[in-house]
Amino acid sequence: MIAHFSENWGFYTLLTELPTFMKDVLKFDLKDAGLLASLPYLVMGIMVQVGGFLADRMRSEGHITTTEVRKLCNCCAFGCQTLFLIAAAHSTTPSVVVVCLTVAVGFGGFAWAGFSVNHLDIAPQFASILMGLSNTVATLPGMASPLLTGHLVQHKTHEEWEVVFYIASGVYLAGAVFYGLFASGERQKWAEIPDSYALCRDDQSHASTDDMPYGSGSCE
């Protein structure tokens, strides 16, 4: 939940505010700002595929554990996003800012090979429930981040936007540290299935259920 929240804070901040930043601070034409603002998400879409492939490749080779793969993908992505958002906050050249923001958002694609599929590692039979809970919490930045940005950016100055980038960087860094310390890629004890578990006993199996009396197919 914390990793998902952290990723979505920066994601929603830039998704909703990047065109405004490019227009007000970088002085891009609104049409050009819209096109350039979509570039980071195009890169992110590509990186999601690359990150998933690399994560599966590392797991299949067996040199590192699933936990290490998840932490590597997630923490490296968040670390790079932190650095490039700070770089964007201190850059004054429009082209450099665009590159930094594109790299920052693009590296977020690698994080999805970490926290996003981690539910399947720790509790595969409950993955849909866990993802629902995680995504509910991770939707909150979509409401909070634009409101905070609107409160901070009153005069549309570069210094005000620096604060917005600093906050997003701090959230990424906190998410990386927390995930790096506490995440796991192993099935949790509360999600283990006992070896003796069976839906139905073998002596209750039938070739067809047509001749089974009502209630006789229930499991013990």
Side-chain angles (χ1 to χ4, degrees):
M1 286 183 181
I2 291 178
H4 202 165
F5 179 95
S6 300
E7 169 59 26
N8 275 15
W9 183 278
F11 179 85
Y12 283 126
T13 297
L14 296 178
L15 181 68
T16 57
E17 305 297 339
L18 189 54
T20 303
F21 169 75
M22 289 183 165
K23 176 178 178 293
D24 293 342
V25 177
L26 304 183
K27 307 304 180 183
F28 277 100
D29 180 78
L30 189 59
K31 180 180 178 181
D32 295 334
L35 293 173
L36 286 173
S38 66
L39 180 61
Y41 298 95
L42 173 62
V43 175
M44 182 180 184
I46 296 172
M47 290 298 103
V48 168
Q49 312 304 319
V50 175
F53 173 80
L54 291 177
D56 287 344
R57 182 69 178 271
M58 288 187 288
R59 291 184 68 220
S60 63
E61 290 179 350
H63 299 306
I64 56 178
T65 65
T66 299
T67 299
E68 291 169 337
V69 171
R70 300 301 179 222
K71 289 184 176 182
L72 182 64
C73 291
N74 199 88
C75 295
C76 286
F78 282 8
C80 289
Q81 289 177 293
T82 299
L83 293 176
F84 279 98
L85 276 182
I86 293 175
H90 288 278
S91 299
T92 56
T93 306
S95 58
V96 175
V97 174
V98 171
V99 170
C100 288
L101 293 177
T102 299
V103 174
V105 175
F107 265 103
F110 282 101
W112 289 87
F115 74 86
S116 181
V117 294
N118 205 182
H119 312 89
L120 292 167
D121 302 321
I122 64 174
Q125 72 273 44
F126 302 126
S128 59
I129 299 173
L130 295 177
M131 185 59 175
L133 294 171
S134 174
N135 203 39
T136 298
V137 174
T139 302
L140 297 177
M143 297 177 283
S145 177
L147 289 174
L148 180 60
T149 301
H151 176 73
L152 293 173
V153 181
Q154 297 289 334
H155 303 95
K156 303 178 181 181
T157 65
H158 191 278
E159 290 74 18
E160 291 174 334
W161 281 101
E162 281 185 0
V163 177
V164 174
F165 290 148
Y166 282 143
I167 292 173
S169 299
V171 173
Y172 277 135
L173 182 59
V177 172
F178 191 91
Y179 194 87
L181 291 174
F182 299 110
S184 173
E186 306 302 323
R187 184 192 288 264
Q188 301 300 289
K189 290 183 178 180
W190 49 267
E192 291 178 355
I193 301 176
D195 294 337
S196 59
Y197 178 81
L199 288 177
C200 294
R201 287 177 11 198
D202 292 339
D203 59 2
Q204 289 182 322
S205 62
H206 293 262
S208 173
T209 59
D210 294 339
D211 58 346
M212 294 175 63
Y214 179 79
S216 64
S218 62
C219 301
E220 296 180 357

